[in-house]
Amino acid sequence: MTGALLVLGCARPPTARPNIIIVLVDALRPDHLGCYGYRLPTSPAIDAFSTEGVVFTEAVSVADWTKPAVPSLLTSLYPSQHGVFEGSASDTEGKITSDILGESLVTVGEMLQGAGYATAAFVMNAQLKAFLGFQQGFELFAEDLGEASQIIARFLAWLDDRPGDRPFFVYLHFLDVHWPYTPPPPYDTMFGEYASQLDLAAHDPKALRQRINDGELTLAATDVLHLVSQYDGEIRAFDDQFAELHAALKRRHVLEHTWIVLTADHGEEFYEHRKIGHGNSLYEELLRVPLVIRGPSATPGARVSTPVSLIDIVPTALDVAGLSLAPSLMGRSLRRGLEGGALDRRPTFAESRHKYDYARAIRASGCKYIESFKERSHDRNEPPATRFAPSRLRDPARFSLRRELYRLTDDPLETIDLSEREAAVVSTLAAALDAWAERLEGGGRGESGRRELDPATIEHLRALGYVQ
């Protein structure tokens, strides 16, 4: 809370502050958008929007799926700090529970609300329910809204009905591009039709994805093309809705004094490393995300190649709102890059934790280094934050370790592991990872707590392929 009070101490009068909208498209890969060089017309509206703002070409997430990534976006903390890693798991009594976003954490909604902003969230993702703590800082938290058109309609209705004397902060979370890929006509055939053994509408989505990822079902080239064509169709369907949103804001004369952040929580795998979906690894196809920011002082059409992270969104939002940045925030403001200046180059970090596995990665100087730890044994009653503490990870009696090193400038698809050949680079990056982890531990490691899921949430998660 001290950090939040520091943020609020420098507030400008409400009338001087811009509005802020975060548009998050779950599982959207940047390399499937025209403004990032994709050859197919999946995103004409997003491409046009990108010419009005700044495209960050090397933006990355801090995690490989929604549950840990979105809390990081909302708090500017890494997953090990906020403690939210697990989406659904059976406890010792057979109940299905999920990590919650702890009340002690301060979200960007709370920071801006305390500074006089009207705040609202319009969300479609069962991982981000209000009763799991994600409503913090939002005067209105509307969830389970359906497809993009419904989310946009609810947002615009709120926008039209709210008093006009306060700036607003809105978080929009769209699920239209998420697995399983079932775009409606004509989007289902817009990017080709391929013979495939995969019937995405008929199969249990979790079972199908698990069979592929476990190597029980091998995909042919046409299967991958089919998946990609359906994914691209979903992007185009969303893009048409995004065009409607942009036009509606323009008609309401909102764009002139509003910052809009378009991004994703993570990417998506299409068999690049023999897996599909997300939540599987820390490879580039899962960590790279789009980041396009448009606002009153942004340089139209600019492109920034300096690596940036999702944890930079909160500091940027606070900065453009004229608020001071609490030292507890792990990210940095991108405002200088938005306004034509140069950003300092910094390493970016990511981490992933699934049951008995923990992985962390660093991107620096054109290289990507990944450490994957697997528990040899564990005490189920010991909290994960303690089990996976940095001081324990290096103990070979507790964890096996796999190292991977890739030169992204030469090998962007991460196909050639150089960890055995370039020991000096591995040593340097491993030391940087250790220093980063120690900094997180020094600031306190989050233990989020868990809450039992209700039947409706479980069914939604089953439809998304998280629960079988």
Side-chain angles (χ1 to χ4, degrees), residues 437-459:
E438 288 168 8
R439 180 185 176 196
L440 300 193
E441 191 172 33
R445 292 175 68 84
E447 192 59 44
S448 62
R450 298 187 64 78
R451 191 161 293 160
E452 184 178 0
L453 300 179
D454 59 83
T457 300
I458 293 171
E459 285 305 309

Side-chain angles (χ1 to χ4, degrees), residues 67-68 71-72 75 77-84 101 105 446-448:
K67 195 69 179 193
S72 291
T75 63
L77 299 174
Y78 287 102
S80 285
Q81 294 174 295
H82 58 64
V84 182
L101 187 64
L105 297 165
E447 192 59 44
S448 62

Side-chain angles (χ1 to χ4, degrees), residues 182-196:
T182 53
Y187 303 102
D188 57 339
T189 58
M190 188 173 288
F191 298 102
E193 297 182 71
Y194 301 94
S196 173

Side-chain angles (χ1 to χ4, degrees), residues 115-144:
Y117 274 74
T119 61
F122 303 87
V123 176
M124 183 61 185
N125 191 314
Q127 302 287 2
L128 310 175
K129 304 284 283 187
F131 77 92
L132 296 177
F134 288 91
Q135 86 293 348
Q136 295 177 66
F138 294 108
E139 297 163 13
L140 171 65
F141 190 88
E143 57 188 25
D144 299 335

Side-chain angles (χ1 to χ4, degrees), residues 58 79 84 98 233 401 410 426 438 449:
E58 293 293 327
V84 182
S98 176
L401 169 61
D410 304 322
V426 167
E438 288 168 8

